[in-house]
Amino acid sequence: MPRCFILTLTALVSLTHASSAADWPTFRQNAQRRAVASENINPAKLANTWTYQSDAPPQTAWAKPAKWDAYARLPGLRSMRNYDASPGLAIANEKTYIASSSNDSITCLNLTNGKTLWQFFASGPVRISPTVADNRVYFGSDDGHAYCINAATGKLIWKFKPAVSSPLIIHNGRLISKWPCRTGVTVIKNIAYCAFSLLPWEKSYLCALDAKTGKPTSPGCFIRELNNATIEGPMATSNKHLIAAQGRIPPRLFNLTNGSDAGTLKGGGGSFIMVDETQSVHHGPGNKTGWVTVSNSTTCKPIATHKGYNAGLIGATLEYRLSDHRVTAFNRNTKALAWKTEFPNAQ
């Protein structure tokens, strides 16, 4: 019998601290993708309050990586475009917003009891976590549009696509736009950033839109045509740049104010990007054996390389690194090992 319920979202509440937690309004919590929560939680005193189950698994845009590199005799290759392996979530204003690549929707749940408040359906898969800002929900779809909907009601406020004809093509068993929006929408200071890209021999479009109207006509807005680009996965931001993943090649930087090209990082490709407090960019997991490169966002030059890791995050005192089979924590000041947890049966 096929498995019907794939996504299981469980809400947990502390038995001793029942007050509301801070919002998690976008992918990895903020536009720098640092993925750190401010709450202190005792895992031993958590209790299940409700459970939501989806009716279908995510339909990823790309297949898994090759089993091995026959030329270099390397097994265990990294996936360069695994940004949509799980449904994207955002939490804001006592609501949870779930993106679905299987039924092309955003679902809004009451955070207290898990009840469905509304659903909004696009015309193609929604692969990236939505962004919630100013009572609006922003997201992109494979149908070639960026969307803005009302966070309370799910009603459409605006949708946008570049001024280009949008013939549908078959990709991974689905009819999608030739210019899907697979970056999600990043909102900073009333500007909504997104990109429309798929085929490197076609032009791609990097866009900065007025977050209220969806139009590229306000100060700070632009539409930039790009050549030889394959921008997919959530973009991150530094103080001056948008950092965009490019699959098998390293991330590419663009000026936040006008979209001009600011260079390409060194190291490997992948869809993991994070910007730390020093404005250094952590990106990976590289090709073949896997590694995370740390680069200067101004010069694009590498600063450090962490071998054997796929992703990570940086807290106030500890840096956490994720590999295929463990999570390792290091002291940020001394670089000493703080702890590590193995999960040897992970796939």
Side-chain angles (χ1 to χ4, degrees):
M1 179 179 294
R3 298 176 64 183
C4 295
F5 298 108
I6 306 298
L7 165 65
T8 301
L9 176 63
T10 303
L12 300 173
V13 63
S14 170
L15 297 178
T16 56
H17 299 282
S19 59
S20 298
D23 286 347
W24 193 275
T26 188
F27 177 70
R28 288 176 62 96
Q29 207 279 326
N30 55 35
Q32 294 74 44
R33 314 307 181 192
R34 292 177 186 163
V36 176
S38 59
E39 286 75 25
N40 293 317
I41 297 175
N42 185 346
K45 296 184 178 181
L46 292 174
N48 183 5
T49 57
W50 55 262
T51 300
Y52 168 84
Q53 293 179 313
S54 70
D55 56 1
Q59 296 182 0
T60 57
W62 301 97
K64 294 181 180 180
K67 292 184 178 180
W68 73 308
D69 183 334
Y71 179 81
R73 298 183 179 181
L74 286 172
L77 302 183
R78 308 298 93 190
S79 175
M80 298 293 99
R81 293 188 175 97
N82 63 341
Y83 54 83
D84 60 345
S86 60
L89 304 178
I91 299 173
N93 303 320
E94 299 298 319
K95 298 179 180 65
T96 300
Y97 303 89
I98 306 171
S100 173
S101 58
S102 58
N103 69 4
D104 309 345
S105 71
I106 296 289
T107 299
C108 176
L109 306 179
N110 183 300
L111 189 59
T112 302
N113 55 33
K115 291 184 178 179
T116 299
L117 300 177
W118 52 259
Q119 281 188 304
F120 180 94
F121 289 91
S123 298
V126 182
R127 302 193 176 279
I128 307 297
S129 299
T131 293
V132 185
D134 297 327
N135 200 37
R136 302 180 186 92
V137 180
Y138 300 84
F139 63 95
S141 170
D142 277 9
D143 65 14
H145 289 87
Y147 288 84
C148 173
I149 58 180
N150 186 290
T153 65
K155 300 297 184 182
L156 178 67
I157 298 174
W158 56 258
K159 66 178 183 178
F160 171 87
K161 70 174 183 178
V164 62
S165 61
S166 300
L168 298 180
I169 60 174
I170 296 177
H171 184 239
N172 200 25
R174 299 293 304 272
L175 281 172
I176 69 166
S177 168
K178 209 172 182 179
W179 290 273
C181 182
R182 290 179 171 176
T183 59
V185 180
T186 300
V187 180
I188 302 174
K189 296 180 180 179
N190 202 38
I191 303 293
Y193 298 92
C194 53
F196 302 81
S197 180
L198 180 64
L199 305 172
W201 55 86
E202 299 278 358
K203 288 186 182 295
S204 296
Y205 298 88
L206 180 68
C207 303
L209 312 172
D210 186 295
K212 293 182 179 179
T213 66
K215 297 180 180 180
T217 54
S218 300
C221 296
F222 56 81
I223 298 178
R224 180 173 173 79
E225 293 186 0
L226 308 175
N227 295 315
N228 302 315
T230 56
I231 298 176
E232 297 185 44
M235 296 187 291
T237 66
S238 66
N239 290 342
K240 297 180 179 180
H241 300 112
L242 280 169
I243 303 101
Q246 298 192 100
R248 301 197 66 82
I249 60 177
R252 190 167 169 182
L253 276 63
F254 301 94
N255 190 295
L256 267 175
T257 59
N258 57 24
S260 60
D261 199 324
T264 299
L265 300 178
K266 309 298 182 182
S271 55
F272 165 66
I273 303 173
M274 177 183 66
V275 180
D276 66 25
E277 298 95 327
T278 69
Q279 302 302 292
S280 297
V281 183
H282 302 239
H283 54 100
N287 300 322
K288 299 179 180 178
T289 57
W291 66 86
V292 170
T293 303
V294 184
S295 299
N296 185 299
S297 62
T298 300
T299 65
C300 293
K301 293 182 178 180
I303 300 171
T305 299
H306 303 305
K307 295 182 178 180
Y309 295 99
N310 304 325
L313 61 89
I314 297 177
T317 59
L318 297 179
E319 178 178 350
Y320 307 87
R321 300 176 192 167
L322 173 69
S323 70
D324 288 348
H325 302 292
R326 71 184 60 85
V327 176
T328 308
F330 297 88
N331 184 290
R332 292 189 64 183
N333 294 321
T334 66
K335 309 302 180 184
L337 175 67
W339 54 261
K340 65 179 178 179
T341 297
E342 304 280 344
F343 38 96
N345 296 323
Q347 299 295 321

